[in-house]
Amino acid sequence: MKKIITVFIITVVIISSQLFTNCEEKKETTTISKPAPQPLTEAQQKANREARAKWEASPDGIEYKKWQNSPEGKKIKVSHDKIRKQLQEFTTMEAVVTSVTFERQGTKGKVPKWLLVQIEGETYMMQFISKEFEQLKSLQVNDKISLKSRSAGYSNNHPYLIITGDYIAKDNKVLFKRDLSKNNRC
């Protein structure tokens, strides 16, 4: 059962990353035309549908669907819609730091570090590994930052939409920039 759930989650991540990720760096002075994405083969589409159907019938899938249709799930969907254009175009968003010490309930040991930010009245989460978070240790609550992100994710285990932190600057000083050369710039 765990293998099925894992396969489905990986499939969903791959598909959503293709939808929400802009793998080419945009140059502000020139426009670069992107090659058309490769469509999935019929066999890949069928495998994805079958994996999704199995997962949706599982207890985790049923719980996720309930969450997705709940007020909390709908609120997160709306918050994603508010920044969808900036994510797709990889443009700068102005944000205010609301927490640098957020921890998810029920976590123990080495856990990811979270930065909570507010963009246009909505709260968003940004997850970093400890090494990445070191670059952000100078941030404090109410600091105004500029950030860029290529993608966002939903989870019924998180109270806010999770956006990737690909670029963070404060007072025109770059605090964090994700190295995309390690993963083919995606």
Side-chain angles (χ1 to χ4, degrees):
M1 187 58 133
K2 287 186 179 184
K3 286 183 183 180
I4 293 171
I5 292 170
T6 303
V7 168
F8 178 75
I9 290 173
I10 290 171
T11 304
V12 169
V13 168
I14 290 170
I15 291 171
S16 65
S17 68
Q18 288 176 347
L19 295 174
F20 298 116
T21 303
N22 178 2
C23 290
E24 292 185 15
E25 284 187 22
K26 292 191 176 195
K27 295 185 180 178
E28 294 179 12
T29 57
T30 61
T31 303
I32 300 173
S33 62
K34 291 190 233 177
Q38 295 291 330
L40 295 175
T41 66
E42 189 65 36
Q44 290 171 325
Q45 290 175 1
K46 183 178 179 184
N48 288 347
R49 285 191 301 268
E50 289 173 356
R52 183 178 180 97
K54 286 181 183 177
W55 181 78
E56 285 178 346
S58 73
D60 287 338
I62 293 168
E63 184 180 326
Y64 181 79
K65 279 293 196 187
K66 284 181 187 175
W67 170 82
Q68 200 174 30
N69 294 321
S70 72
E72 295 86 10
K74 289 178 182 177
K75 182 176 185 255
I76 289 176
K77 173 87 170 87
V78 168
S79 70
H80 183 243
D81 292 342
K82 285 185 178 182
I83 63 169
R84 185 180 309 273
K85 184 177 179 183
Q86 290 93 333
L87 295 173
Q88 289 173 338
E89 296 176 0
F90 194 60
T91 56
T92 302
M93 296 178 271
E94 300 302 320
V96 176
V97 176
T98 58
S99 176
V100 292
T101 59
F102 177 82
E103 289 186 20
R104 285 187 40 224
Q105 293 178 347
T107 57
K108 296 178 182 177
K110 269 194 161 177
V111 295
K113 302 291 185 180
W114 295 94
L115 182 66
L116 295 185
V117 297
Q118 196 167 49
I119 303 170
E120 297 178 15
E122 292 287 336
T123 302
Y124 298 91
M125 301 175 78
M126 300 173 74
Q127 178 180 346
F128 299 92
I129 60 173
S130 296
K131 183 179 176 183
E132 294 172 338
F133 200 75
E134 281 295 314
Q135 299 171 48
L136 304 171
K137 65 183 176 187
S138 65
L139 288 177
Q140 297 178 357
V141 173
N142 294 325
D143 280 350
K144 293 181 180 173
I145 60 172
S146 300
L147 65 92
K148 291 183 182 181
S149 177
R150 286 182 170 79
S151 62
Y154 305 96
S155 172
N156 58 334
N157 297 326
H158 296 78
Y160 307 107
L161 183 71
I162 305 163
I163 58 177
T164 59
D166 295 321
Y167 171 91
I168 298 175
K170 178 184 171 196
D171 299 328
N172 294 324
K173 180 183 174 194
V174 177
L175 300 176
F176 177 80
K177 187 173 182 182
R178 192 170 303 280
D179 183 8
L180 299 174
S181 64
K182 294 179 182 176
N183 57 1
N184 199 22
R185 295 176 45 193
C186 293

